[in-house]
Structures are given as C-alpha cells and as structure tokens.
Amino acid sequence: GDFIPLRSDWISLFYDTGHKVTSDDGSQYAFRAITTRGEYLWLVFSAGKTRGYHAETTCPHSAFAEAREALTYRRAVKSRWDDVRAVARALRRGKLRFDVLIEDAMESPLCAMGTRHFLRSFGLSGIKRISGFKLAWMMLIEPQLGFVIYQAALREGVLS
Amino acid sequence: VITKLAAYELLAQERP
C-alpha cells in the first residue's frame, strides 16, 4: 500500500507515498523515506529523470535544491564523459597514477548517502584514500565512479 | 538493519 520498498544506487529504502511534497515550480516531488539502516531521507524525483536523488536534509525544499544542483553538475560532467573514460583507461593501464580522496567523492555530484552505502557494500567503510588504479577498475562495475574520478582528475590538474 | 515493520512505523511517525 502506502509504503514502497526500493533498491537503487546501492541504497535499500522504504518510501511513504502518503507523505509527498511537491516543489513550488512543480518540477520536483519528494517522498519521505528511511533506509534499511534506519537513516531518514527525502527521495527526490525531478522532471525527466526516472531515478530518485537521495537527500539527507530535514527540509524537503533544501532536498529539492540539493537534487537540482547535483543534476546540473552531473549534466556538465556527462558532457565531458569521453575525457572521464580516457582518464579511467589511463589509470587502469598505469599510464596515469594518482590517488582518489574521500573529499573527491564529497565534492562530486553523487549523493553522500549513496557513496557511504557503496563503500560499505565493498567493505571500504571509513576509507579516506584509494588508488586511482583500483577505483578505475571499480568503475567498470559502477560507472558512476566516473564522477569521482573526474573530481580527482580536476584536483590533480589532469583535467581542467 | 531495521525490519520492514519498524521502517513503516518510523515513516508513519514522520507524517505531518
């Protein structure tokens, strides 16, 4: 009925269809949700996107803003995805070497909750740094890691 | 990990 289980982007949650908020401009709506680990969030759906964004704000309107910013940033990085793939390939072949920091993930347009749950699934909770080599190989399993590699490449001056 | 039932109860408490 009112509560729906959902697994997406490494997060298992239940959301409440009886607790829905719509943004002022009508382009977004959010359901109150809780993960199977007991963390509250807003599951935000934006016009033209099938997958929801996981926002950990208490206020749904902050959640709309956070989702909007992330989507805008994701679109910008997506327009340079060929560069991202080239950097990842070079990291895998050892032609480029740099570490990727947790800060790169935090500054990327990936939601913090998804990053946390992803790292947990891989037994990497609490990790602060990983070799670009490993992460680029993991990107073959989870393509969204490209957003983190992009952020690290910016910091390293490999991309600008 | 919380059960489905616990999750539903917690969500119900969040309703306005």
Side-chain angles (χ1 to χ4, degrees), chain A residues 2-3 14 16 19 32-36 40, chain B residues 1-2 4 7-8 10-12 14-16:
Chain A
D2 288 348
F3 303 109
F14 302 97
D16 182 2
H19 189 172
R32 196 59 172 149
I34 192 165
T35 69
T36 52
Y40 287 103
Chain B
V1 174
I2 60 168
K4 186 194 243 184
Y8 289 178
L10 288 166
L11 282 177
E14 283 280 301
R15 284 182 175 177

Side-chain angles (χ1 to χ4, degrees), chain A residues 102 105-106 108 110-120 148:
Chain A
I102 193 69
M106 293 308 152
S108 82
L110 300 183
C111 63
M113 181 176 267
T115 299
R116 231 164 43 233
H117 284 233
F118 173 81
L119 289 175
R120 203 188 158 80
V148 184

Side-chain angles (χ1 to χ4, degrees), chain A residues 119-154:
Chain A
L119 289 175
R120 203 188 158 80
S121 304
F122 278 75
L124 297 172
S125 286
I127 200 171
K128 298 278 180 277
R129 154 191 302 266
I130 189 168
S131 73
F133 175 80
K134 275 189 203 160
L135 205 69
W137 278 102
M138 286 162 75
M139 186 185 162
L140 299 180
I141 301 166
E142 174 45 271
Q144 295 188 83
L145 289 174
F147 291 109
V148 184
I149 289 172
Y150 173 80
Q151 211 63 43
L154 280 188

